[in-house]
Amino acid sequence: MLTESIKKHKIEYLLVSFVDLFGVIRSKLIPASKAKVAETSGAGFAGFAAHLNLTPAHPDIFLIPDANTLTPMAWQSNVAWITGDLYMEGKLIEHAPRNVLKRVMADAAKKRVTMMTGVEAEFFLLAPDGSRISDERDLLGKPCYDQLALMRRFEFIKEVCDAMQDFGWEPYQNDHEDANGQYEMNWHYSNALQTADRHVFFRFMTKAVAEKHNLRVSFMPKPFSALTGNGCHTHCSLWDASGKKNLFLDSKNLHQLSEKAYQFIAGVMHHAPALSALTNPTVNSFKRLNAKTPDSGATWSPNGISYGGNNRTHMIRIPDAGRFELRLPDGAANPYLLQAGLLAAGMDGIENKMDPGLPRDENMYDIFTKLKVKKLPATLHDALIALDKNRVFREALGGEFIDSYLKLKRDDWSRYMSQVSDWERQSTLDC
């Protein structure tokens, strides 16, 4: 199958890639003539060179390509990107992100359900050095849906959107987002694994195409203190094994969601503190959550653990029948771990028949401090503590993954804490 696809698309090289625990894409460029060798034996990597909690003493790791993920690079048509599963000494690496997601999905499949998701990947278009937004004329106080700013970036957007159409992703809208210099491009939902694979490639594609246009793409959660941050809102529904029946749809129930959907939502809310360690995985992530109001007038990010109808001030929004939107994740989220954590949390809610309570209609930005609503973690450190204590995630995602992730992220936090910022010097130098 892989060889046939390579011939069909006239591919000369394969960019064989995987994502490590920090969401970094690692790759090797392989001549298409060696594709069969890669498909059977795998492409070899030194695991210590990536964020995988391995040492220089560990043997090589091998990526076995998944032919279903082969994606010709539209901007470099003789090269195709492909991902797959990581092995070491013939065994799956339990804590590799894509393997973690596949294991959680397999557990759900045993219950004859599959999760369908779509993501809204927000990003900034910056100057090449990353110091400022790229469009000096993008100055509106409320720039969301700014037509002129959108069309000044038409060539970039068209190239990416055309590629997604060629891939069969069914992109359906592109817009200028709430911050100056910020954009969003949407494509059709799919099963959680395919969505994650496409999300990984989308991040790579936008960055590569941006470089062609002398631009720089950033998914950083909060690159500018006065501007809205980059979210990665995730739409979710649960379907039966045949993929024909939406188990979240109930036209006779509140907001046209089924009891199972509300149980799933309750699970996500219950596990939100631990989940945030996966959906908001950087120090900077928590400068988007609980943030002060930016210049546009709203953060568009949650400030507590709540849900409501078509109300964007809640962590969970119900925009339409048969699905909900999780507004917690940000642009730094590892695509595989985002999906794995969401599914594990929701399935626990169903298994234990959790109740989310009644949805709220209030503007959470106005009255959050007056309500008895659970808060999200204030820092990455707090989120990691919640993840460490979460037994459900340890069982569903795997103890080896949890321990590896915590170790690397705690090291990341320690490196952050060892830095002294300009703000600290300015505010405390004369103490």
Side-chain angles (χ1 to χ4, degrees), residues 149-328:
L150 176 68
M151 293 308 293
R152 283 195 293 271
R153 290 292 172 256
F154 174 74
E155 293 303 323
F156 164 81
I157 292 169
K158 178 182 184 300
E159 187 166 351
V160 174
C161 191
D162 285 352
M164 289 194 286
Q165 291 186 90
D166 290 343
F167 301 153
W169 291 12
E170 299 180 58
Y172 56 90
Q173 62 185 24
N174 312 291
D175 65 75
H176 187 294
E177 269 298 322
D178 190 66
N180 305 104
Q182 188 183 44
Y183 299 83
E184 178 181 302
M185 305 180 74
N186 304 123
W187 65 92
H188 199 260
Y189 67 88
S190 187
N191 70 72
L193 181 63
Q194 189 170 72
T195 291
D197 287 337
R198 290 176 174 178
H199 189 185
V200 170
F201 184 80
F202 177 80
R203 289 164 58 91
F204 164 58
M205 173 170 60
T206 51
K207 291 178 181 181
V209 173
E211 288 181 2
K212 280 185 56 182
H213 294 267
N214 198 33
L215 301 168
R216 182 173 179 176
V217 160
S218 175
F219 294 92
M220 182 178 177
K222 188 75 170 175
F224 305 104
S225 59
L227 300 180
T228 308
N230 282 323
C232 186
H233 306 147
T234 303
H235 294 256
C236 175
S237 55
L238 206 65
W239 294 65
D240 67 0
S242 71
K244 296 180 180 179
K245 183 179 181 181
N246 183 351
L247 301 176
F248 278 7
L249 181 62
D250 184 346
S251 59
K252 297 179 181 179
N253 206 6
L254 180 65
H255 293 304
Q256 299 187 63
L257 286 187
S258 67
E259 182 181 11
K260 193 181 292 290
Y262 283 110
Q263 292 170 350
F264 194 104
I265 286 173
V268 174
M269 293 174 66
H270 178 76
H271 293 290
L275 180 61
S276 68
L278 306 177
T279 57
N280 309 84
T282 69
V283 169
N284 181 258
S285 293
F286 293 84
K287 296 183 179 181
R288 168 183 166 266
L289 300 178
N290 306 311
K292 290 185 177 180
T293 303
D295 290 349
S296 67
T299 64
W300 303 107
S301 62
N303 54 10
I305 301 171
S306 63
Y307 87 104
N310 199 348
N311 181 335
R312 288 179 169 85
T313 67
H314 294 276
M315 186 185 81
I316 291 176
R317 176 175 77 109
I318 305 171
D320 203 356
R323 64 184 167 98
F324 71 83
E325 174 193 50
L326 179 65
R327 299 180 63 79
L328 178 62

Side-chain angles (χ1 to χ4, degrees), residues 248-426:
F248 278 7
L249 181 62
D250 184 346
S251 59
K252 297 179 181 179
N253 206 6
L254 180 65
H255 293 304
Q256 299 187 63
L257 286 187
S258 67
E259 182 181 11
K260 193 181 292 290
Y262 283 110
Q263 292 170 350
F264 194 104
I265 286 173
V268 174
M269 293 174 66
H270 178 76
H271 293 290
L275 180 61
S276 68
L278 306 177
T279 57
N280 309 84
T282 69
V283 169
N284 181 258
S285 293
F286 293 84
K287 296 183 179 181
R288 168 183 166 266
L289 300 178
N290 306 311
K292 290 185 177 180
T293 303
D295 290 349
S296 67
T299 64
W300 303 107
S301 62
N303 54 10
I305 301 171
S306 63
Y307 87 104
N310 199 348
N311 181 335
R312 288 179 169 85
T313 67
H314 294 276
M315 186 185 81
I316 291 176
R317 176 175 77 109
I318 305 171
D320 203 356
R323 64 184 167 98
F324 71 83
E325 174 193 50
L326 179 65
R327 299 180 63 79
L328 178 62
D330 64 42
N334 184 313
Y336 299 108
L337 301 183
L338 187 170
Q339 302 288 338
L342 173 58
L343 180 55
M347 291 302 293
D348 185 58
I350 291 175
E351 185 174 342
N352 289 288
K353 294 182 169 53
M354 293 182 185
D355 182 359
L358 292 174
R360 292 182 174 275
D361 296 323
E362 303 97 335
N363 181 340
M364 296 299 290
Y365 298 158
D366 288 343
I367 63 171
F368 172 66
T369 56
K370 301 176 184 178
L371 298 175
K372 292 182 179 180
V373 174
K374 290 183 179 180
K375 294 183 178 180
L376 290 162
T379 67
L380 176 62
H381 177 66
D382 295 336
L384 295 175
I385 291 174
L387 179 62
D388 194 12
K389 293 179 178 178
N390 193 294
R391 294 181 180 180
V392 169
F393 277 5
R394 181 169 288 275
E395 180 178 347
L397 305 180
E400 189 173 349
F401 160 73
I402 295 294
D403 291 338
S404 296
Y405 188 80
L406 287 172
K407 177 185 174 182
L408 294 178
K409 282 297 175 182
R410 282 170 174 158
D411 286 346
D412 208 33
W413 174 259
S414 294
R415 284 194 295 273
Y416 164 70
M417 290 300 292
S418 70
Q419 304 298 312
V420 179
S421 68
D422 289 341
W423 181 88
E424 290 174 277
R425 279 187 288 270
Q426 291 167 5

